[in-house]
Amino acid sequence: MFDTLKSKIYQGKQYIKNIECAQMREQFRGLPILKDKNCDNCAKCQNICPTGALNINPLTIDMGKCTFCGACKNICTKNAINFSNFYKLSTTDSKNLVIDERMTKELFEKTAIETKKEITSVFSKSLKLRQVSAGGCNGCEMELNACSNVNFDMGRFGIDFVASPRHADGIVITGPVTKNMAYALEDCYKAVPNPKMVILCGACAISGGIFQNSTEIDREFLKKYPIDLYIPGCPVHPLTFINGVLGYIKEKKTH
């Protein structure tokens, strides 16, 4: 018992006390910072992007396609492309994923997520999610597993992953949706009781990512059913996921 107490005192509190104000390391690539006036339209950044996320004239980055690899920043000699360490990247509108030079982290945080009264009233105290790996590489899946560890402790907010869609309030999709998973994904969605939500997690789920031109993916599901929340990343960081979901189900405070 004394060894256990000593260990607890030595380790201290391992969980992140304030998940909404957590500090991210400087090296993290989050919300892009673009300076269109610095761009000379050389197109090197556009040509090197593995997913076609970057466009010039005007300079924009689609976070739904972006793998945050940093290749565009590294090849740009005009300091037109940078990445902040701002990790709250989730949005309820896919149009907000396309970032231009006017976008600041303050503006993005303020406008990206539109809360709905019917969502906050039903799910703000408890949200159970069924995670579907629709052909993912296990990168996003591993990060989602980390959401429930002692550091992030997503369960304290009433958010948990469940084993059965019958026990779920919605589904979290990772991966580009392969043909082999298309039927299983729709079957899972139909098994979730109404009302329910659909969350796309990671570049592959949102746009197909590096697999977007593959003949082995079938994204018909995403055209048939409404998407409630888009969470960019490759893979998605636990802080990005948790804050995105909290931002969607919690009623915004008004001052």
Side-chain angles (χ1 to χ4, degrees):
M1 184 180 73
F2 287 111
D3 289 339
T4 302
L5 289 172
K6 283 167 61 178
S7 177
K8 185 175 179 62
I9 293 170
Y10 175 76
Q11 293 179 3
K13 294 180 179 178
Q14 296 184 41
Y15 70 95
I16 301 171
K17 187 174 183 180
N18 191 338
I19 206 84
E20 295 177 81
C21 298
Q23 295 297 312
M24 182 63 78
R25 67 189 189 279
E26 287 297 324
Q27 296 88 343
F28 179 79
R29 296 192 190 102
L31 187 73
I33 300 174
L34 306 178
K35 296 179 181 178
D36 194 25
K37 61 183 179 182
N38 290 1
C39 181
D40 60 3
N41 296 331
C42 69
K44 290 180 180 178
C45 56
Q46 187 174 4
N47 295 335
I48 203 172
C49 180
T51 57
L54 200 144
N55 285 302
I56 57 174
N57 197 24
L59 185 62
T60 62
I61 290 181
D62 186 342
M63 292 196 299
K65 296 180 178 180
C66 184
T67 62
F68 297 87
C69 65
C72 56
K73 175 186 181 299
N74 295 336
I75 203 171
C76 180
T77 58
K78 302 297 182 179
N79 196 33
I81 305 170
N82 283 289
F83 290 88
S84 69
N85 67 342
F86 182 68
Y87 55 84
K88 297 181 182 181
L89 308 176
S90 306
T91 181
T92 51
D93 188 345
S94 60
K95 294 179 182 178
N96 292 326
L97 293 171
V98 180
I99 303 299
D100 59 25
E101 71 169 355
R102 296 170 296 178
M103 184 57 66
T104 63
K105 65 179 184 180
E106 291 80 13
L107 180 60
F108 188 85
E109 188 172 21
K110 184 178 180 180
T111 61
I113 296 180
E114 180 184 351
T115 56
K116 300 177 182 178
K117 189 174 182 180
E118 57 268 30
I119 296 294
T120 57
S121 61
V122 175
F123 299 120
S124 61
K125 301 297 182 182
S126 176
L127 178 66
K128 308 305 175 188
L129 298 168
R130 176 72 170 108
Q131 198 270 310
V132 181
S133 178
C137 71
N138 282 338
C140 286
E141 291 83 350
M142 289 179 68
E143 295 300 302
L144 291 179
N145 283 340
C147 290
S148 300
N149 69 20
V150 69
N151 298 115
F152 302 104
D153 192 17
M154 185 172 67
R156 63 182 139 151
F157 305 111
I159 308 169
D160 296 289
F161 290 114
V162 292
S164 170
R166 292 294 186 188
H167 301 156
D169 302 309
I171 60 174
V172 178
I173 303 171
T174 57
V177 190
T178 60
K179 289 180 179 178
N180 289 340
M181 281 300 298
Y183 175 80
L185 173 60
E186 185 156 1
D187 195 40
C188 178
Y189 175 81
K190 290 179 178 179
V192 178
N194 290 318
K196 53 191 169 186
M197 65 177 69
V198 177
I199 300 172
L200 298 185
C201 189
C204 287
I206 296 173
S207 66
I210 61 173
F211 306 105
Q212 58 190 284
N213 297 318
S214 172
T215 58
E216 294 304 310
I217 64 175
D218 179 1
R219 296 174 61 79
E220 191 63 30
F221 174 90
L222 305 178
K223 299 176 183 178
K224 292 168 61 176
Y225 301 106
I227 308 302
D228 295 279
L229 191 63
Y230 302 85
I231 306 181
C234 187
V236 171
H237 195 282
L239 286 176
T240 304
F241 180 82
I242 297 172
N243 277 284
V245 175
L246 283 176
Y248 185 55
I249 66 173
K250 297 290 185 182
E251 191 170 355
K252 287 186 176 180
K253 295 179 181 179
T254 56
H255 298 283

